[in-house]
């Protein structure tokens, strides 16, 4: 007989074990119960489970909403924030749109940044990208290149939201498939 694979995702393991303990007579302590659940899942103990499955940091929705205010309805960076931390978050969205493995001259990257933003200050955006180490430049400032690196959680969420804005809605083409009655 074949086994069905049933996946179970537990959002809060501590709460799950508390509920499970409540159904047992002679229930072990909370820590012992956490260890037993972890062992049933194939881990040595709860510490091993936790070390193997590190929780992902949560997106700060309030920060994300504030960052989105600095972009226009087409998803272009349009307002330079006053706070450096907000500037840095918004610059990740600009970095994400820059083509990777491409080397630009100063004029080329300035033109590209002017297309990607509505700030009309490519020099400031360019300098800030270099300061954040999202872009490298030669000592004489003649060559620029995007630096590949892991994207922080909040920046990943911002980039994802902006990609939704940048998608061009498809025209309604239902009429092209309808037939007239003959």
């Amino acid at each position: 007989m074949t086994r069905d694979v049933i996946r179970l995702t537990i959002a809060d393991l501590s709460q799950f074990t508390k509920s499970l303990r409540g159904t047992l007579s002679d229930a072990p302590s909370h820590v012992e119960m956490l260890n037993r659940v972890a062992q049933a899942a194939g881990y040595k103990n709860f510490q091993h489970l936790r070390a193997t499955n590190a929780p992902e940091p949560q997106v700060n929705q309030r920060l994300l909403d504030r960052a989105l205010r600095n972009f226009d309805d087409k998803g272009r960076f349009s307002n330079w924030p006053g706070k450096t931390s907000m500037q840095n978050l918004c610059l990740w969205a600009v970095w994400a749109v820059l083509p990777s493995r491409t080397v630009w001259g100063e004029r080329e990257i300035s033109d590209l940044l002017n297309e990607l933003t509505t700030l009309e200050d490519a020099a400031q955006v360019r300098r800030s990208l270099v300061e954040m180490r999202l872009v490298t430049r030669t000592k004489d400032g003649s060559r620029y290149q995007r630096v590949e690196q892991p994207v922080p959680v909040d920046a990943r969420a911002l980039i994802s939201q902006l990609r939704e804005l940048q998608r061009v809605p498809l025209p309604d083409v239902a009429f092209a498939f309808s037939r007239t009655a003959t």
Side-chain angles (χ1 to χ4, degrees), residues 17-172:
T17 56
K18 283 179 187 177
S19 298
L20 190 57
R21 279 181 58 221
T23 64
L24 301 173
S25 60
D26 257 358
S29 72
H30 182 64
V31 174
E32 288 175 25
M33 193 68 182
L34 283 170
N35 285 331
R36 288 182 183 180
V37 169
Q39 287 168 350
Y43 297 92
K44 293 177 191 170
N45 54 30
F46 178 68
Q47 294 296 331
H48 181 221
L49 169 77
R50 188 173 185 172
T52 307
N53 301 294
E56 288 189 26
Q58 297 295 313
V59 174
N60 183 340
Q61 191 59 45
R62 191 168 159 213
L63 180 67
L64 181 61
D65 292 339
R66 274 190 266 144
L68 284 168
R69 290 186 217 143
N70 296 300
F71 293 84
D72 65 11
D73 58 343
K74 295 179 183 171
R76 293 177 300 178
F77 192 24
S78 60
N79 179 43
W80 190 257
K83 286 185 145 191
T84 305
S85 59
M86 186 60 65
Q87 293 168 8
N88 292 347
L89 180 57
C90 293
L91 287 169
W92 274 104
V94 175
W95 171 87
V97 182
L98 293 174
S100 60
R101 298 184 193 104
T102 304
V103 177
W104 302 280
E106 185 177 352
R107 174 66 13 225
E108 294 167 316
I109 194 166
S110 292
D111 291 343
L112 180 59
L113 291 173
N114 282 330
E115 287 176 27
L116 299 174
T117 67
T118 60
L119 297 171
E120 297 181 11
D121 191 0
Q124 179 164 3
V125 175
R126 200 177 59 235
R127 278 192 303 271
S128 297
L129 286 167
V130 171
E131 286 171 6
M132 281 184 62
R133 294 186 175 107
L134 297 176
V135 171
T136 59
R137 86 171 150 211
T138 56
K139 286 196 182 270
D140 64 356
S142 63
R143 297 281 172 235
Y144 293 81
Q145 186 172 10
R146 178 177 129 162
V147 177
E148 300 304 314
Q149 56 192 291
V151 181
V153 174
D154 289 329
R156 220 177 316 146
L158 177 63
I159 293 164
S160 176
Q161 293 258 337
L162 291 171
R163 285 208 172 122
E164 291 297 318
L165 285 175
Q166 293 166 347
R167 286 199 177 125
V168 178
L170 295 173
D172 185 14

Side-chain angles (χ1 to χ4, degrees), residues 4-16:
D4 291 335
V5 175
I6 300 173
R7 298 203 185 278
L8 174 64
T9 302
I10 301 170
D12 184 356
L13 187 59
S14 181
Q15 185 61 42
F16 176 79

